Amino acid sequence: MRAGQLYMLSGVHGGVSLSKQMGQGELKIRSYDVQIHRARVEDLERRCEVGPTKRVVLFTDTMGDPICRIRNSPVYKMLIAELGSEVVGVIQGSIKLATVHKPPKNLAKLGYVLGLRIAPLHRRKGIGLRLVLELEKWFIANDVDYSYMATEKDNEASVNLFIKKLGYAKFMTPAILVNPVDRRALRLSSKTEVAKLKIEEAEFLYRKLMTSTDFFPDDIGNILRNRLSLGTWVAYQRGESWDGFGSDGKFPSSWAMLSVWNSGEIFKLRLGKAPLSCLILTKISRLIDKIFPCFKLSAIPDFFSPFGFYFMYGLHLEGPSSGKLVGDLCQFVHNMATKTRDCKVIVTEVGGKEMLRLHIPHWKSLSCPEDLWCIKAMKNEENTILQLPKTPPTTTSLFVDPREV
């Protein structure tokens, strides 16, 4: 699920950049052309909807725009692999400047790899490898320091490709937390004050407090000003004042902050597979809610039709009571979501060992406790900054760019 002015690189609609002889003809890797490839890429996405059989799987619906997940990134590209007239593989990439934890430099140019799809009948033929290598060439040509990607921990094919064949190294295992939206608003604590920050205030606080956080984007101002960013809110205990929102260096004894991104405006989610018990529970819940509305039971949302979602990002907390305030903010965002017609879940991603995750409501069956992030240096010269993949992060905090969800 990725502000400001967008820059399409020259060559995005270019021709053949790589070819290889295949049994069914010549494999061609070329840049995505919306006029030529759109329908065929959508068809490929449908054919690739094959997920793990033992748990719930959420699939994306791009609503006719295959590059919607990267369109809000500063620089982006999509490659497709063709065999004759058939699209048999796709991959997407974006580039940004972000914080890394390796002195003497504080910033690095990062290339993000996402959306790798190979048609089921054409897997294990090296197509995925060729697509990644070609995208890495684009990264190198644009002076990228690191390439990184995220995958499910149990995705054996992806782990083998990136770690064993391409030399990526495990960097961290954050948790993806997903919580359904009940159509009824939740009651907020009378002891908590929630205030919306101006964009300038939010940017000031993020730069002041989170520039040492892993992968903090240097263009945070563009993210906050994007139309998909609904705003930034802080929560603190009622009775305490917060004049200037930290600009004077003074904060409440406990407080929490987060921003919200309306990912449902660019693509939808849909439940792919679910246990029979989940289907039965959904139907029973809706039936009881319809027949006995006075019970005010929480009906389980319909996840089987495409639906939108909110993504919470930039979560930060300070003080002994801040965990409770994070929970209050999550309830506040939930109540916002009830007013958006098709928003049915709220998603966030936090560092795997962060205590923060304990205060964020979520469904275990929809969440992912360990999302595997891998990273690879794109430059060979000796430089301390290039040792990042060999060094564990100096902090458990993580800033997840909403443009890359």
Side-chain angles (χ1 to χ4, degrees):
M1 305 166 217
R2 318 291 174 244
Q5 186 176 3
L6 305 180
Y7 297 89
M8 288 292 287
L9 297 188
S10 60
V12 165
H13 301 292
V16 177
S17 56
L18 178 67
S19 65
K20 179 183 178 182
Q21 294 296 323
M22 302 288 288
Q24 297 94 333
E26 185 181 38
L27 176 70
K28 298 180 180 179
I29 309 294
R30 66 176 77 232
S31 295
Y32 171 76
D33 186 323
V34 62
Q35 301 297 329
I36 300 173
H37 303 124
R38 178 172 172 174
R40 284 184 283 167
V41 169
E42 288 183 313
D43 177 65
L44 173 66
E45 290 281 350
R46 286 189 291 270
R47 285 183 284 150
C48 289
E49 288 189 354
V50 180
T53 58
K54 294 184 179 181
R55 65 179 185 83
V56 173
V57 181
L58 290 173
F59 291 115
T60 59
D61 182 342
T62 60
M63 301 187 295
D65 182 11
I67 61 172
C68 62
R69 290 181 63 192
I70 55 175
R71 189 178 291 283
N72 285 281
S73 296
V75 181
Y76 59 92
K77 188 174 185 120
M78 180 172 180
L79 297 174
I80 60 103
E82 291 178 309
L83 272 178
S85 61
E86 181 185 5
V87 172
V88 296
V90 297
I91 195 170
Q92 300 179 30
S94 61
I95 298 173
K96 68 179 180 184
L97 198 63
T99 300
V100 294
H101 281 100
K102 203 64 184 176
K105 293 171 65 177
N106 294 318
L107 293 174
K109 211 169 187 180
L110 302 179
Y112 182 52
V113 181
L114 73 159
L116 178 60
R117 303 280 188 273
I118 306 298
L121 295 179
H122 295 278
R123 292 170 184 170
R124 301 184 183 277
K125 297 179 181 180
I127 297 174
L129 176 64
R130 301 303 293 262
L131 281 168
V132 179
L133 289 173
E134 188 66 12
L135 188 64
E136 288 184 348
K137 288 183 181 179
W138 179 65
F139 286 160
I140 293 171
N142 284 275
D143 199 34
V144 165
D145 296 297
Y146 296 103
S147 171
Y148 72 104
M149 53 78 66
T151 187
E152 294 177 339
K153 185 181 178 181
D154 59 357
N155 188 331
E156 185 177 344
S158 183
V159 170
N160 287 338
L161 173 61
F162 283 92
I163 294 180
K164 295 183 179 180
K165 293 183 179 180
L166 289 162
Y168 283 69
K170 174 182 173 181
F171 182 57
M172 60 177 65
T173 52
I176 301 175
L177 307 179
V178 182
N179 198 50
V181 174
D182 186 357
R183 63 183 179 85
R184 298 185 181 92
L186 302 175
R187 188 168 185 174
L188 301 181
S189 171
S190 60
K191 298 180 181 180
T192 300
E193 188 78 38
V194 176
K196 185 175 183 179
L197 300 181
K198 296 178 181 178
I199 292 177
E200 295 77 16
E201 294 169 336
E203 182 176 359
F204 171 82
L205 282 179
Y206 278 130
R207 292 195 182 277
K208 177 182 178 67
L209 301 168
M210 301 190 73
T211 51
S212 62
T213 301
D214 294 320
F215 292 4
F216 180 79
D218 191 51
D219 66 335
I220 181 64
N222 287 338
I223 296 175
L224 296 171
R225 289 174 175 82
N226 190 285
R227 67 178 182 84
L228 299 174
S229 194
L230 302 181
T232 302
W233 287 266
V234 292
Y236 52 96
Q237 295 173 325
R238 192 176 297 277
E240 295 194 51
S241 62
W242 190 0
D243 297 327
F245 294 96
S247 60
D248 56 358
K250 297 180 181 179
F251 296 92
S253 58
S254 293
W255 64 282
M257 172 176 70
L258 60 76
S259 298
V260 181
W261 184 271
N262 189 5
S263 297
E265 283 292 311
I266 50 177
F267 70 94
K268 307 294 183 185
L269 295 176
R270 175 175 52 79
L271 194 65
K273 296 181 180 180
L276 179 60
S277 58
C278 181
L279 299 175
I280 295 174
L281 183 60
T282 300
K283 292 184 178 296
I284 292 176
S285 169
R286 290 191 165 278
L287 182 62
I288 293 176
D289 184 63
K290 183 177 181 180
I291 299 176
F292 303 109
C294 58
F295 286 177
K296 296 184 178 181
L297 299 177
S298 296
I300 299 174
D302 176 14
F303 293 137
F304 304 100
S305 300
F307 59 88
F309 67 104
Y310 282 174
F311 183 76
M312 299 189 303
Y313 68 99
L315 281 75
H316 182 81
L317 70 166
E318 293 186 8
S321 302
S322 56
K324 170 64 168 58
L325 294 172
V326 167
D328 291 337
L329 278 178
C330 290
Q331 288 187 322
F332 178 83
V333 175
H334 171 276
N335 291 349
M336 285 175 51
T338 62
K339 300 174 184 177
T340 301
R341 183 175 56 85
D342 70 342
C343 181
K344 295 182 181 177
V345 297
I346 297 170
V347 183
T348 193
E349 190 162 8
V350 298
K353 296 182 180 180
E354 284 188 89
M355 295 300 292
L356 181 61
R357 63 191 294 182
L358 301 177
H359 305 287
I360 299 173
H362 61 280
W363 269 19
K364 185 177 180 180
S365 60
L366 292 176
S367 302
C368 174
E370 290 190 354
D371 186 37
L372 180 62
W373 283 34
C374 300
I375 193 166
K376 176 182 177 180
M378 289 284 99
K379 296 179 180 178
N380 295 321
E381 64 266 24
E382 287 297 323
N383 191 316
T384 54
I385 196 174
L386 299 181
Q387 301 304 312
L388 179 62
K390 302 176 183 178
T391 306
T394 57
T395 176
T396 57
S397 296
L398 173 69
F399 189 101
V400 180
D401 192 329
R403 299 171 298 188
E404 296 174 353
V405 174

